[in-house]
Amino acid sequence: MVTAIVLIVIVAFIVLFFISSYNSLVKFRNQVKNAWAQIDVQLKRRHDLIPNLIETVKGYMTHERDTLENITKARSQAVAAESVGEKAKAEGELTSALGKFNLVVENYPDLKANQNFLSLQEELTSTENKISFSRQNYNDQVLFFNNKIQMFPSNIVAGMFKFNEEEFFEIEDQKEKEVPKVSFS
Amino acid sequence: MWELIQANKRKSIILIISMGILLVLLGYIIGSAYIPDGGGLAGVFIALMLWGVLYLISYTRGSKILLAVSGAKEITKDIHPQLYNIVEEMKIASGHPFMPKVYIIDSAAPNAFATGIKPDNTAIAVTAGLLGRLNRDELQGVIAHEMAHIVNRDILFMTVSGIMLGVIVLISEVFIYSLWFGGGGRYSKSSKDSGQGQIIFIVIAIAFAILAPIAARLLYFAISRKREYLADASAVRFTRYPEGLASALEKISRSTEELKKANKVTAPMYIANPLKKKGKKLNDLTSTHPPISERIKILRGIAKSADFNAYQTAFNKVTGKETNIIPPAELKDSTPINIRDAIGLPALGLTKKQTQRNVGNLIMKLNDYSFINCECGVKIKIPPNYKKKIVFCPRCRRRHKLK
């Protein structure tokens, strides 16, 4: 009688552990997915902003046709990209094309006085930030999820129900990987 | 992140329980001093009721009251796109699922606070003076600090313990005043019936009524300061740019304007103490905010990495203490993160007059003024109650049609 009760308690305990472990794994996987979706939203926003930007600056920057064409080309490649790897590569190129553009802008004081351009620039800066912050958040979530999958005891449940490790969003652009300088100006 | 919130919750619960014990003891002893037989339980009941009612009010209406008292106005994205964008950025960086509402306070003093007990209904408010003075990176640092308060659930904790502190102070003061003024006659009459027992109770009660508020204050202030440091550390982790917050704090501390709408109750909510301009230095133990110069030094002492370990190292070096600002479990997991370059738009370099004009324009925009740029260079400001169809430029007398 006593052994039966003990057995029932142990089994109930194990079942409860499995249920709660499974549920939390599902929750964390959804958080990873959600974080990925956020990156997509911001990338789409960047694609939408670029035609506007080109339209606004075209008249001012007659000598910078190459820079502008590079941006347009990088954008259409990024829009067409399908796989995660392709996407990361194309978006990296777009980022560096926009970086070059920001450097050139300094030579056009007229442009920097244009209200329309200033508000576009704010939108673009913010979208760039949002992309890197959502990437940052995505990688944090992936790290947490992968730790859960590897660590005991949740690794048992993860193995049984085939929870696979997620991929980090790696930065393709070599320049971004370098340790940045800190300027105290 | 998750361990951080968990550790925060545990610590808050311990603190709230010890404050709660203090409150119950105070109620019991003062109740017994009034009525020796059974008065203690009544005292406990009254103390807890008072706390419960105040908590209920602040849980349901706290944010609204605070925002209204500080004169904050909710904005949409078109009133200040940059501010709105930055709040969105920090929402993403912190991984918080809900967008806080954004408010601007009509004041030239630079300051900011966050409010909202429920995670899905929070708000961040900044003063117009802050927006006028800071560049994009600095503003981002301030917003990150406020977002950290929201994500770390600091507001819930501050409200619960703040109200306990308030009730403890209130009960003690009422008791001491009643002894001073009305209590004398009553006390002499009842002492005839109950004799020495009650006198002892009254002496203990007086001692307790003096000591309890001091103890509660120290508890509250100690943890509140720790939370400011923690929010700074989280802000660095969100933005990956410690210099932004450091130079924002420097600008805030340099300003001489006082935030008129802040008071003793709302002061702990702000990023920097709004009531500091009285000429005397507050005692370190009784201040809700760590000294701002120390916060700046720690932020500037962070070398190379934006993770919690780097902040803790810098903290130990600057203060010479070994206090754990970040829970050890979180430190163990923390890996180095690169600090980024200043990506924001270049510093504005405005004169004081330009700053004042920007702040003025922003406040007018908040109050539904509309603007017309005249060809002679004058910006005409039209108040919302202006009913005529045309307006003349005050300098060149040009006619402008209104929509």
Side-chain angles (χ1 to χ4, degrees), chain A residues 7 12 21 30 37 47 50 56 59 64 74 76 82 93 95 104 107 110 127 134 145 148 169 172 178 180-181 184-185:
Chain A
L7 264 176
S21 223
N30 284 342
H47 300 159
I50 286 171
T56 311
E64 312 287 348
S76 51
E82 298 256 323
E93 269 162 29
T95 303
V104 184
N107 305 331
D110 287 358
T127 310
S134 48
F145 180 67
K148 276 273 169 217
F169 192 104
E172 285 296 312
E178 288 167 16
K181 300 181 292 288
F184 293 98
S185 52

Side-chain angles (χ1 to χ4, degrees), chain A residues 28 31 38 42 45 121-123 125-127 129-130 133-134 136-137 140-141 144 177-185, chain B residues 2-3 77 81-82 85 88-95 136 140 237-241 243 300 338-341 343 345:
Chain A
F28 294 133
Q31 275 174 2
Q38 280 208 15
Q42 299 310 330
R45 171 106 183 104
Q121 199 187 26
E122 161 58 30
E123 281 310 304
T125 308
S126 178
T127 310
N129 285 354
K130 282 171 194 163
F133 287 133
S134 48
Q136 183 176 305
N137 180 43
D140 283 354
Q141 304 278 3
F144 188 74
K177 268 189 185 164
E178 288 167 16
V179 182
K181 300 181 292 288
V182 186
S183 65
F184 293 98
S185 52
Chain B
W2 293 268
E3 281 89 351
K77 189 171 172 179
Q82 192 177 65
N85 274 337
E88 249 173 11
E89 284 164 25
M90 286 305 107
K91 174 208 159 242
I92 293 171
S94 65
R136 201 178 196 287
Q140 198 183 48
R237 202 176 172 283
F238 294 160
T239 59
R240 321 232 144 153
Y241 188 62
E243 180 55 24
R300 295 228 159 110
N338 285 341
I339 290 175
R340 66 168 170 81
D341 274 333
I343 43 171
L345 308 170

Side-chain angles (χ1 to χ4, degrees), chain A residues 24-25 28 31-32 138-151 168, chain B residues 1-3 333:
Chain A
S24 69
L25 278 171
F28 294 133
Q31 275 174 2
V32 170
Y138 171 78
N139 283 344
D140 283 354
Q141 304 278 3
V142 169
L143 179 72
F144 188 74
F145 180 67
N146 288 354
N147 281 348
K148 276 273 169 217
I149 285 184
Q150 288 164 10
M151 280 193 291
F168 288 99
Chain B
M1 271 303 123
W2 293 268
E3 281 89 351
D333 288 350

Side-chain angles (χ1 to χ4, degrees), chain A residues 59-145:
Chain A
Y60 292 87
M61 299 175 110
T62 41
H63 303 296
E64 312 287 348
R65 185 165 291 169
D66 284 354
T67 319
L68 297 186
E69 264 171 17
N70 276 342
I71 295 177
T72 315
K73 216 171 77 195
R75 176 193 175 263
S76 51
Q77 269 169 4
V79 171
E82 298 256 323
S83 76
V84 176
E86 265 175 40
K87 244 184 198 170
K89 187 163 176 285
E91 293 297 341
E93 269 162 29
L94 185 52
T95 303
S96 66
L98 284 171
K100 268 178 213 137
F101 168 78
N102 275 335
L103 288 179
V104 184
V105 167
E106 297 298 314
N107 305 331
Y108 295 85
D110 287 358
L111 189 56
K112 284 170 76 185
N114 181 331
Q115 275 304 324
N116 217 342
F117 171 71
L118 284 180
S119 61
L120 260 174
Q121 199 187 26
E122 161 58 30
E123 281 310 304
L124 207 61
T125 308
S126 178
T127 310
E128 294 290 313
N129 285 354
K130 282 171 194 163
I131 289 170
S132 69
F133 287 133
S134 48
R135 196 171 60 198
Q136 183 176 305
N137 180 43
Y138 171 78
N139 283 344
D140 283 354
Q141 304 278 3
V142 169
L143 179 72
F144 188 74
F145 180 67

